Amino acid sequence: DAGVIQSPRHEVTEMGQEVTLRCKPISGHDYLFWYRQTMMRGLELLIYFNNNVPIDDSGMPEDRFSAKMPNASFSTLKIQPSEPRDSAVYFCASSPGDFGAEAFFGQGTRLTVV
Amino acid sequence: DAKTTQPPSMDCAEGRAANLPCNHSTISGNEYVYWYRQIHSQGPQYIIHGLKNNETNEMASLIITEDRKSSTLILPHATLRDTAVYYCIVRVSGNTGKLIFGQGTTLQVKP
């Protein structure tokens, strides 16, 4: 398996534009996580899914952020409209359903909103 | 939720053992201790995890105290490539999926 795949690796967009980040988890993994990382706040859990169902979205900063997982092999994180303070590295991770299992992270998407 | 406390930074000489401490005094009986690391510009990487017993794999050893209130990650022969931020995480009680990262320890391995 190629691991968790995120696209794009880099995204530069203008304030007010819609941004969509994509993630393909490892096949067979039941959990999918979206994290955001900034220098100020570190790694923050935004939302996670179990078997394609959102379980906890309490980390989503505001209504401008939304995440979907239409099937077991694909998830998106959308920001609409984007703002400069959304600039960060966004990571996607997946893990099997066993308690104690490790999570595998993608390489991240570096988002810059100008 | 159990929280963890780690020193913000540590240095280690190349070839020597790196011992990274973590306090988790409020850990519950069914919560695991996980260690991840993040090398600059990469996604976090799983290292090891344990519940009660000490654990060892090809990357590191994990020593958990008998009262489970603290643990130590040991890199037996640190190399320059081990320079990274190391995160000690306690899995959120009652939830099989959630991983909450703290600020971690920045380990600098020096030649």
Side-chain angles (χ1 to χ4, degrees), chain A residues 29-42:
Chain A
H29 282 190
D30 297 328
Y31 286 88
L32 184 138
F33 310 83
W34 281 102
Y35 288 85
R36 175 174 71 174
Q37 186 171 35
T38 62
M39 288 293 293
M40 290 295 294
R41 301 175 68 89

Side-chain angles (χ1 to χ4, degrees), chain B residues 38-59:
Chain B
Q38 187 174 25
I39 296 171
H40 182 62
S41 299
Q42 297 182 19
Q45 176 192 23
Y46 166 83
I47 300 173
I48 199 168
H49 74 278
L51 183 63
K52 296 181 182 178
N53 301 320
N54 298 337
E55 302 287 344
T56 296
N57 62 21
E58 65 279 3
M59 290 182 68

Side-chain angles (χ1 to χ4, degrees), chain B residues 34-102:
Chain B
Y34 282 75
W35 284 84
Y36 282 75
R37 74 179 183 184
Q38 187 174 25
I39 296 171
H40 182 62
S41 299
Q42 297 182 19
Q45 176 192 23
Y46 166 83
I47 300 173
I48 199 168
H49 74 278
L51 183 63
K52 296 181 182 178
N53 301 320
N54 298 337
E55 302 287 344
T56 296
N57 62 21
E58 65 279 3
M59 290 182 68
S61 295
L62 174 60
I63 308 298
I64 303 175
T65 58
E66 192 169 345
D67 63 8
R68 302 187 72 238
K69 293 185 177 181
S70 65
S71 61
T72 301
L73 178 75
I74 301 173
L75 308 178
H77 306 287
T79 71
L80 297 179
R81 289 179 296 180
D82 292 321
T83 292
V85 179
Y86 287 78
Y87 297 97
C88 170
I89 302 164
V90 174
R91 205 79 175 265
V92 177
S93 177
N95 186 308
T96 62
K98 209 166 181 176
L99 280 173
I100 304 297
F101 288 78

Side-chain angles (χ1 to χ4, degrees), chain A residues 11-88:
Chain A
E11 176 81 30
V12 180
T13 190
E14 292 185 346
M15 182 174 62
Q17 296 297 306
E18 177 180 295
V19 176
T20 300
L21 311 180
R22 296 172 175 80
C23 175
K24 176 178 168 54
I26 293 173
S27 177
H29 282 190
D30 297 328
Y31 286 88
L32 184 138
F33 310 83
W34 281 102
Y35 288 85
R36 175 174 71 174
Q37 186 171 35
T38 62
M39 288 293 293
M40 290 295 294
R41 301 175 68 89
L43 264 166
E44 302 173 275
L45 177 63
L46 300 178
I47 184 172
Y48 77 97
F49 297 80
N50 181 19
N51 292 322
N52 312 338
V53 176
I55 302 300
D56 186 344
D57 65 355
S58 59
M60 296 285 261
E62 49 197 275
D63 292 344
R64 298 185 296 107
F65 286 69
S66 62
K68 295 182 179 180
M69 192 165 185
N71 56 62
S73 60
F74 184 66
S75 176
T76 60
L77 178 67
K78 186 176 294 186
I79 307 172
Q80 167 62 24
S82 59
E83 297 181 4
R85 59 189 168 129
D86 301 330
S87 297

